[in-house]
């Protein structure tokens, strides 16, 4: 069962106000996803440095397949898909604001 407690009553708002509220929420979600993607990128970079013994200069000749990087890559791809979907939702929302 969905819990809508604490959800602003969009029905009582003007259409423009509710659209702006939804757009702001979508932008906040996109920002949060981008932050998570940066954290994943940093963790992947740190894992690469640790795998090469902390020698980034010699890392070009070393290829190590670990069990962490694929999980990070999968999580990053999922977040990227979410970001794309939210971006599309934001675009559709802004398009719906223009009178036909």
């Amino acid at each position: 069962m969905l819990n809508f407690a604490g959800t602003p009553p969009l029905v009582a708002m003007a259409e423009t106000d509710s659209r702006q509220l939804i757009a702001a929420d979508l932008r906040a979600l996109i920002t949060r996803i981008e932050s998570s993607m940066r954290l994943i990128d940093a963790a992947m970079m740190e894992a690469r440095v640790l795998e090469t013994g902390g020698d980034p200069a010699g890392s070009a000749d070393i290829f190590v397949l670990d069990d962490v990087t694929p999980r990070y890559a999968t999580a990053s791809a999922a977040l990227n898909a979410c970001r794309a979907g939210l971006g599309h939702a934001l675009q559709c929302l802004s398009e719906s604001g223009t009178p036909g």
Side-chain angles (χ1 to χ4, degrees), residues 7 11 21 30 33 39 43 51-52 55 57 66 71 75 83 90:
T7 302
V11 181
L21 181 64
I30 290 169
I33 285 173
L39 289 172
E51 288 170 359
T52 60
D55 182 19
D66 61 35
R71 287 183 279 166
R83 195 223 174 281
L90 188 58

Side-chain angles (χ1 to χ4, degrees), residues 76-92:
S76 183
L79 287 172
N80 195 34
C82 287
R83 195 223 174 281
L86 289 170
H88 180 71
L90 188 58
Q91 180 181 1
C92 290

Side-chain angles (χ1 to χ4, degrees), residues 48-62:
R48 283 188 209 117
V49 169
L50 291 174
E51 288 170 359
T52 60
D55 182 19
S59 64
D61 298 329
I62 298 173

Side-chain angles (χ1 to χ4, degrees), residues 23-58:
D25 196 41
L26 289 173
R27 282 188 211 95
L29 287 169
I30 290 169
T31 299
R32 185 67 190 131
I33 285 173
E34 289 171 345
S35 173
S36 294
M37 291 175 75
R38 283 190 297 274
L39 289 172
I40 288 172
D41 288 344
M44 287 175 63
M45 185 61 72
E46 182 179 329
R48 283 188 209 117
V49 169
L50 291 174
E51 288 170 359
T52 60
D55 182 19

Side-chain angles (χ1 to χ4, degrees), residues 2-26:
L2 296 174
N3 180 5
F4 291 105
T7 302
L10 295 177
V11 181
M13 296 180 161
E15 182 181 347
T16 304
D17 292 339
S18 64
R19 191 177 315 119
Q20 289 173 347
L21 181 64
I22 294 166
D25 196 41
L26 289 173

